[in-house]
Amino acid sequence: MNGEPLSVLLVDDEGVFISVIAEQLRTDYGFKTTVAYSGIEALRLLKEGRESFDVILLDYKMPQISGLNVLQWMYEQKLETPVIMLTAAGSEFVAVEAMKFGAYDYLRKEEIEIPHLALAIRATHERHLFRIQKAIEEERAREIRLNKEATEVVHTVLNQITPTLNGMLAGIAADLEAKGAEIGKQIPGGIHEKYVELIKGLKRQMAVLEGAIQEILNLYRFMYAKHTDTPEIQQIKARWEGKMKEVAEQT
């Protein structure tokens, strides 16, 4: 993607065979090649993680640790570097097992031609990039869906609780109006004025709270809408700031 050569790890215990292939891929096709001559060496390179590889060319039949063993380890470690498995004639069952552990492709060793191998490596790398991009897009779509679902829940809850809150505030205001006046008559003169001022202040704050609840509901309605109208949001902000200014001037 950025113009750098693809880095390929070639793993095979047939030293001359894999060295010749690595040299041809490097000189004729511009790949950056690293050779491991056993499954043990391949695992060491992968575990050390000093170098990242774009594609791994992996022989399935090696002593001690086979290609399938290496592939299974990669699968368990969730190491997603794409693998092309090298098999012998008549070993299609190995290819099936390799696919189960995440191999992208398989090639028969006796049929390998360098031009075709180079194409297979590039195609495997492109498929891997496509899978990564697809996974990113699916995760993004999932997040959008979950956010939409959460927004719908918030919208529903606000629609349910807002009338209740406003009703409670209205009830408190009515009690202040009716019972406050009745209680005020029983308060001596000097204290009575302070009491009346207190009741007026509480009423103003109740009105502000009621308006704030309504404006919060309005804001969530805009969030829920498909197209947000910025001027309307600014109007809500201006109304709220105006009410707060009125409260400040009255106190």
Side-chain angles (χ1 to χ4, degrees):
M1 298 297 289
N2 55 7
E4 296 182 0
L6 293 182
S7 179
V8 182
L9 173 63
L10 301 94
V11 186
D12 198 317
D13 62 322
E14 296 182 29
V16 175
F17 168 80
I18 204 66
S19 295
V20 169
I21 289 179
E23 179 63 23
Q24 287 186 281
L25 289 174
R26 181 168 55 251
T27 57
D28 296 345
Y29 296 94
F31 293 118
K32 179 182 177 182
T33 57
T34 301
V35 177
Y37 297 102
S38 68
I40 295 174
E41 188 176 354
L43 283 180
R44 178 181 60 78
L45 289 172
L46 295 173
K47 289 177 180 179
E48 288 177 351
R50 295 179 181 176
E51 183 177 358
S52 61
F53 302 102
D54 296 307
V55 178
I56 297 176
L57 197 65
L58 183 60
D59 183 28
Y60 92 94
K61 189 175 182 181
M62 294 181 289
Q64 293 182 291
I65 295 180
S66 70
L68 282 178
N69 295 145
V70 174
L71 189 61
Q72 184 175 1
W73 178 86
M74 293 176 61
Y75 179 82
E76 292 171 350
Q77 299 299 314
K78 301 187 185 317
L79 185 60
E80 298 181 351
T81 306
V83 171
I84 300 175
M85 184 67 72
L86 299 180
T87 68
S91 57
E92 283 74 14
F93 72 95
V94 176
V96 173
E97 290 300 309
M99 295 300 179
K100 290 180 181 178
F101 290 118
Y104 275 60
D105 203 353
Y106 73 95
L107 299 173
R108 290 183 178 179
K109 292 177 68 172
E110 68 276 8
E111 296 177 354
I112 286 181
E113 296 179 355
I114 300 301
H116 177 260
L117 178 59
L119 286 174
I121 290 172
R122 293 189 189 281
T124 297
H125 178 61
E126 291 297 326
R127 284 174 59 198
H128 180 59
L129 293 180
F130 175 78
R131 287 187 185 182
I132 292 175
Q133 183 61 36
K134 184 178 179 181
I136 291 173
E137 292 174 354
E138 288 177 351
E139 179 61 23
R140 185 181 297 121
R142 176 178 172 276
E143 290 179 359
I144 291 173
R145 176 178 56 80
L146 291 176
N147 286 338
K148 182 179 179 181
E149 291 175 358
T151 302
E152 289 175 349
V153 171
V154 170
H155 184 261
T156 300
V157 171
L158 282 173
N159 278 335
Q160 291 173 346
I161 67 175
T162 299
T164 301
L165 288 175
N166 283 336
M168 292 173 65
L169 289 173
I172 294 172
D175 285 343
L176 287 174
E177 183 72 30
K179 297 179 181 179
E182 181 179 344
I183 295 172
K185 294 177 181 179
Q186 304 174 26
I187 296 176
I191 304 176
H192 181 269
E193 292 181 2
K194 294 181 179 180
Y195 173 76
V196 171
E197 192 60 34
L198 173 64
I199 295 299
K200 288 181 179 179
L202 288 174
K203 289 179 179 178
R204 288 195 297 269
Q205 292 179 37
M206 298 296 292
V208 171
L209 282 174
E210 187 174 358
I213 291 171
Q214 185 58 48
E215 299 298 15
I216 290 172
L217 180 60
N218 290 337
L219 285 173
Y220 272 96
R221 282 173 178 165
F222 281 116
M223 290 177 63
Y224 182 73
K226 292 182 178 179
H227 303 287
T228 302
D229 193 338
T230 303
E232 288 287 347
I233 294 177
Q234 292 300 324
Q235 291 177 16
I236 292 174
K237 180 174 179 290
R239 285 198 300 268
W240 171 247
E241 290 175 345
K243 289 178 181 178
M244 294 302 296
K245 184 179 179 180
E246 288 179 8
V247 172
E249 291 174 348
Q250 292 172 0
T251 55

